[in-house]
Amino acid sequence: MVEPANTVGIAVNPTPLLTDELDIVIPTIRNLDFLEMWRPFLQPYHLIIVQDGDPKKKIHVPEGYDYELYNRNDINRILGPKASCISFKDSACRCFGYMVSKKKYIFTIDDDCFVAKDPAGKAVNALEQHIKNLLCPSSPFFFNTLYDPYREGADFVRGYPFSLREGVSTAVSHGLWLNIPDYDAPTQLVKPKERNTRYVDAVMTIPKGTLFPMCGMNLAFDRDLIGPAMYFGLMGDGQPIGRYDDMWAGWCIKVICDHLSLGVKTGLPYIYHSKASNPFVNLKKEYKGIFWQEEIIPFFQNAKLSKEATTVQQCYIELSKMVKEKLSSLDPYFDKLADAMVTWIEAWDELNPPAAAAAKA
């Protein structure tokens, strides 16, 4: 049985990394008391809280945190008609926080994620590890059997091409979870008591051409490199599918990262996932996706972007056209989703003008 770390008595990190360059995005419908546990590691950073559900509900944030909070009324006010691309009553609303941030890096975490312990019993500073992942290169073109060669104590193994050892920029750091695994509803129903107790001390680059099921509850990314593609789709209220928001974004970003020669890492850091969601509720949200994914995944595996697509926005628009052309026959929802992908990019560029982004770079 694994337990979360006890961070009482741990001082706030006096030398946090990238405090002026990173925002923490949290989607929520409840008070954020879980931040008390994270105070030693997260308090020095700016929070962007995206409140889902009833905008009249008051969300309590522990004292001492610097934050801005957006509810549905704010989203409608800021985006106008384009607010239709932001999901309602679904954690996919978090991507609005990605859009309004002005920082280079984003770390996003769910409010049922607590601080994990490593095998030695030490509290894991998940954000610090994400930052280390993002600041080190990735190696997507040739797999290193000692996993991340850029970590302290590791290197490239014999036979690894010297021409590839410089690596590429890392766009995404995908963390994992102790306790409650990120299972789909059928697996939850078959294994209701299963808990993840294995802490694997490893980080690896996901190879080029390989997709993965991205989970949004412990995730960091370089907003400048891949931000416009981190759209979590149309999910939740009024949509025929839920709980595929982060996976949709993951499939999109992986195709684009492969095309633009960017890296995606997975493994460390771990968080402690405290609460299992209701598998019957999940099944109602997921059941169409469980069938659809058998066609969606081959679609992404075969998606080829043009040489003319040299920016994330251009890649994403090309993908949206492919979605409309190839997946609309699966269900009319995908025609709507393809339009929402275009609306998302338009809204992103309005809040983050390309000229301003170029000047920042």
Side-chain angles (χ1 to χ4, degrees), residues 49-67:
I49 300 164
V50 184
Q51 179 181 345
D52 201 11
D54 184 1
K56 296 189 292 294
K57 181 178 179 180
K58 176 70 174 177
I59 299 293
H60 173 259
V61 181
E63 186 176 351
Y65 277 94
D66 174 47
Y67 69 94

Side-chain angles (χ1 to χ4, degrees), residues 69-90:
L69 187 150
Y70 298 93
N71 59 34
R72 193 71 205 188
N73 293 338
D74 299 315
I75 294 172
N76 291 338
R77 172 179 52 81
I78 292 169
L79 297 185
K82 292 184 175 65
S84 62
C85 71
I86 304 297
S87 300
F88 185 57
K89 294 186 178 178
D90 192 280

Side-chain angles (χ1 to χ4, degrees), residues 31 48-49 68 72 85 104 112-113 160 162 177 189 191-192 194 202 221 235 259 296 300 314:
N31 292 333
I48 297 178
I49 300 164
E68 52 193 299
R72 193 71 205 188
C85 71
K104 177 173 173 58
D112 62 351
C113 294
Y160 199 100
F162 282 86
W177 346 267
L189 289 166
K191 299 180 173 181
E194 183 157 294
F221 60 92
M235 304 280 158
H259 178 73
I296 295 171
F300 280 105
Q314 290 168 346

Side-chain angles (χ1 to χ4, degrees), residues 301-321:
Q301 288 173 326
N302 293 305
K304 303 297 181 186
L305 299 169
S306 72
K307 292 181 179 179
E308 290 71 35
T310 58
T311 68
V312 175
Q313 284 92 330
Q314 290 168 346
C315 291
Y316 204 71
I317 292 298
E318 282 197 7
L319 262 183
S320 73
K321 292 176 180 177

Side-chain angles (χ1 to χ4, degrees), residues 65-294:
Y65 277 94
D66 174 47
Y67 69 94
E68 52 193 299
L69 187 150
Y70 298 93
N71 59 34
R72 193 71 205 188
N73 293 338
D74 299 315
I75 294 172
N76 291 338
R77 172 179 52 81
I78 292 169
L79 297 185
K82 292 184 175 65
S84 62
C85 71
I86 304 297
S87 300
F88 185 57
K89 294 186 178 178
D90 192 280
S91 64
C93 67
R94 78 176 79 221
C95 60
F96 177 78
Y98 310 160
M99 183 185 287
V100 297
S101 172
K102 302 303 178 187
K103 305 289 180 62
K104 177 173 173 58
Y105 300 102
I106 295 289
F107 170 51
T108 185
I109 186 172
D110 285 2
D111 58 21
D112 62 351
C113 294
F114 298 166
V115 179
K117 290 187 291 189
D118 68 15
K122 183 181 178 182
V124 174
N125 185 345
L127 177 52
E128 184 176 73
Q129 180 64 52
H130 274 302
I131 291 172
K132 290 178 179 178
N133 291 348
L134 290 171
L135 293 181
C136 286
S138 291
S139 52
F141 306 122
F142 201 90
F143 187 76
N144 191 57
T145 50
L146 272 182
Y147 307 119
D148 191 344
Y150 306 102
R151 287 187 71 196
E152 186 176 350
D155 212 323
F156 295 97
V157 298
R158 182 170 56 90
Y160 199 100
F162 282 86
S163 59
L164 297 177
R165 295 190 181 194
E166 184 178 350
V168 300
S169 297
T170 301
V172 179
S173 172
H174 177 256
L176 299 175
W177 346 267
L178 294 175
N179 196 39
I180 306 295
D182 187 31
Y183 285 163
D184 53 37
T187 308
Q188 282 183 292
L189 289 166
V190 173
K191 299 180 173 181
K193 296 183 179 180
E194 183 157 294
R195 299 294 182 264
N196 181 35
T197 61
R198 295 180 300 163
Y199 185 104
V200 180
D201 185 15
V203 179
M204 65 184 73
T205 298
I206 300 174
K208 182 177 180 179
T210 301
L211 298 177
F212 74 112
M214 190 173 81
C215 174
M217 70 172 123
N218 176 23
L219 179 72
F221 60 92
D222 186 321
R223 188 174 173 275
D224 290 350
L225 290 180
I226 200 63
M230 273 291 180
Y231 176 47
F232 277 41
L234 278 180
M235 304 280 158
D237 194 49
Q239 310 304 331
I241 186 175
R243 284 174 55 82
Y244 274 82
D245 52 326
D246 42 8
M247 287 184 285
W248 180 264
W251 297 327
C252 290
I253 63 98
K254 189 58 169 62
V255 169
I256 293 173
C257 283
D258 286 352
H259 178 73
L260 297 178
S261 295
L262 299 170
V264 178
K265 291 187 176 183
T266 188
L268 300 179
Y270 281 86
I271 52 84
Y272 179 94
H273 187 206
S274 66
K275 186 176 66 176
S277 49
N278 186 310
F280 296 100
V281 173
N282 291 345
L283 185 60
K284 185 177 179 180
K285 295 177 180 179
E286 291 176 2
Y287 77 96
K288 287 191 176 182
I290 290 170
F291 291 102
W292 289 347
Q293 70 183 12
E294 301 305 320

Side-chain angles (χ1 to χ4, degrees), residues 22-26 35 41-49 65 105-109 127:
L22 184 144
D23 279 333
I24 300 171
V25 174
I26 305 171
L35 286 172
F41 309 129
L42 303 189
Q43 184 178 321
Y45 296 87
H46 179 69
L47 311 181
I48 297 178
I49 300 164
Y65 277 94
Y105 300 102
I106 295 289
F107 170 51
T108 185
I109 186 172
L127 177 52

